[in-house]
Amino acid sequence: MHIAFVIDLPSMEGLGATITSLVRNCSDTAQLHLHFICNNLSTRHKNNILMLLQTESYHGRTRFYDFDAQEMFGHLSAVHGSRTSYGRFLIPKLLDVDYVLCLDPDLLILLDVITFEQIRFEDHFLAAVPGGSFRNTLEAKLLPGQLSVCKDERSFISGMLLLNLRKWKEQDICHEIEKICLRHATALQEADNTVLNTICNGRFHHIDDRFNCIWTPGQETPSFKENTILHFASTPKPWDFLGREVHAGYQRWADYDTTFWDRRYKRVAFAGLQRIWKIRKSLIRYYLKSFRGTGNLKLGIKN
């Protein structure tokens, strides 16, 4: 089974628990082929991934691929200052396989990923958990009328995608991606997620909600707790500055955060300050909401 991650240095802190949970909950890691598509990631960090896999008794295959997101996708919109996620578009060019499971580095894999071997489809090039209608997405609000998507169609969040690469190539999806990126280069609010949702226009293979269970800051419990893929969407995430206080999923994430990984990627110094600056609005928003809620309770105000 082939699994792909698109990563860079800022994503490494969350990646550790994603890998650990994937390996620990897999019934037979010898069946796995892990592909890491790396945006300017040094050998030292790749070796850390290999060491973590070895420590967790992983018996599958591992391969790394390098790309420069700024060089290849510098003309496209950055999301939180990063263009790394556009590297997902390289997967069909790098992997000569029928199916590949694409996972973001902010997940907990609390199920046996071999389960995905049972999911096969020929009706579309992509399978995902359906979300709300496109009219409720950030793109629909900020780009009204610019994207050729029916607003009543279902959209998806690309934390977990199962790609049928054979159908991708048959439908020449790479060409469709190029057309959208050329037309809306500086208006892709959610990077690759915007592009893929525009191409699908609501037509993708739907899979169970448990395969991408969203857990956001301020949300007490997710809809699924076990046999699921937990997706720490939005910011701050459990491993971010103040994540322990802000995110109810901190302890669940910490269960898979190893000492080995923590010592190497616990955010300190300049890298940590950069991350805090990027998510500052989310932190302020959360604490303002909490403060207002506390104030209302003290004053006896009912919402």
Side-chain angles (χ1 to χ4, degrees):
M1 179 177 179
H2 295 271
I3 302 174
F5 295 92
V6 180
I7 59 175
D8 57 10
L9 182 56
S11 69
M12 292 295 283
E13 190 168 5
L15 177 67
T18 302
I19 291 175
T20 303
S21 60
L22 185 154
V23 172
R24 290 182 186 177
N25 292 304
C26 180
S27 59
D28 183 8
T29 61
Q31 296 187 40
L32 303 184
H33 299 248
L34 301 185
H35 304 271
F36 294 93
I37 302 166
C38 310
N39 173 26
N40 289 323
L41 201 65
S42 70
T43 301
R44 175 168 64 92
H45 300 296
K46 295 172 186 175
N47 287 338
N48 285 340
I49 292 174
L50 293 174
M51 183 65 70
L52 178 64
L53 288 169
Q54 182 180 353
T55 303
E56 294 295 325
S57 300
Y58 172 73
H59 299 295
R61 298 180 181 179
T62 308
R63 186 171 179 182
F64 296 94
Y65 311 79
D66 295 310
F67 79 105
D68 187 323
Q70 180 59 36
E71 181 179 324
M72 299 187 72
F73 306 109
H75 60 295
L76 302 179
S77 300
V79 178
H80 302 302
S82 172
R83 295 180 175 84
T84 298
S85 64
Y86 290 113
R88 200 189 306 267
F89 299 153
L90 303 176
I91 292 175
K93 300 176 182 179
L94 297 173
L95 306 186
D96 186 19
V97 298
D98 287 341
Y99 288 89
V100 59
L101 177 64
C102 301
L103 299 176
D104 278 359
D106 58 356
L107 310 173
L108 283 185
I109 316 300
L110 304 181
L111 49 73
D112 187 348
V113 288
I114 302 298
T115 303
F116 284 97
E117 288 283 21
Q118 302 170 13
I119 302 176
R120 292 295 178 260
F121 52 96
E122 294 294 330
D123 49 341
H124 300 289
F125 73 92
L126 176 153
V129 173
S133 64
F134 188 81
R135 71 172 62 251
N136 295 324
T137 65
L138 182 63
E139 292 88 349
K141 295 175 182 177
L142 298 182
L143 307 173
Q146 293 187 42
L147 300 176
S148 55
V149 181
C150 177
K151 292 186 177 180
D152 292 323
E153 294 290 355
R154 301 288 292 276
S155 62
F156 56 82
I157 297 176
S158 57
M160 185 290 305
L161 297 177
L162 183 60
L163 302 181
N164 182 332
L165 296 188
R166 183 165 47 80
K167 296 296 292 185
W168 179 300
K169 293 170 184 176
E170 287 177 4
Q171 297 176 18
D172 199 6
I173 300 302
C174 287
H175 180 60
E176 296 300 316
I177 289 173
E178 290 175 1
K179 289 196 298 183
I180 293 172
C181 289
L182 182 63
R183 191 178 306 128
H184 304 288
T186 60
L188 303 174
Q189 300 299 321
E190 294 294 334
D192 61 306
N193 192 69
T194 299
V195 177
L196 293 176
N197 267 291
T198 303
I199 294 172
C200 289
N201 196 13
R203 294 183 294 274
F204 56 94
H205 187 80
H206 294 192
I207 56 179
D208 293 346
D209 291 353
R210 67 189 180 94
F211 291 122
N212 192 1
C213 182
I214 305 298
W215 198 350
T216 57
Q219 180 184 348
E220 286 303 316
T221 56
S223 51
F224 297 91
K225 295 181 181 179
E226 302 297 336
N227 196 28
T228 185
I229 294 180
L230 292 179
H231 183 184
F232 297 116
S234 189
T235 54
K237 301 182 187 294
W239 52 90
D240 280 329
F241 176 66
L242 297 180
R244 185 168 192 162
E245 291 76 20
V246 170
H247 208 297
Y250 175 84
Q251 189 54 56
R252 199 71 177 97
W253 166 79
D255 290 341
Y256 291 96
D257 179 37
T258 65
T259 301
F260 169 80
W261 204 256
D262 202 47
R263 287 176 176 172
R264 285 157 180 78
Y265 296 106
K266 195 66 176 177
R267 295 196 176 276
V268 294
F270 184 64
L273 292 174
Q274 281 186 312
R275 175 66 178 171
I276 293 169
W277 179 253
K278 287 179 181 178
I279 67 171
R280 67 192 185 282
K281 292 182 179 179
S282 297
L283 290 169
I284 293 171
R285 192 182 308 118
Y286 175 82
Y287 277 103
L288 283 176
K289 183 178 178 181
S290 299
F291 176 76
R292 287 167 183 161
T294 303
N296 288 345
L297 288 174
K298 288 181 178 179
L299 293 172
I301 298 174
K302 296 181 180 180
N303 292 319

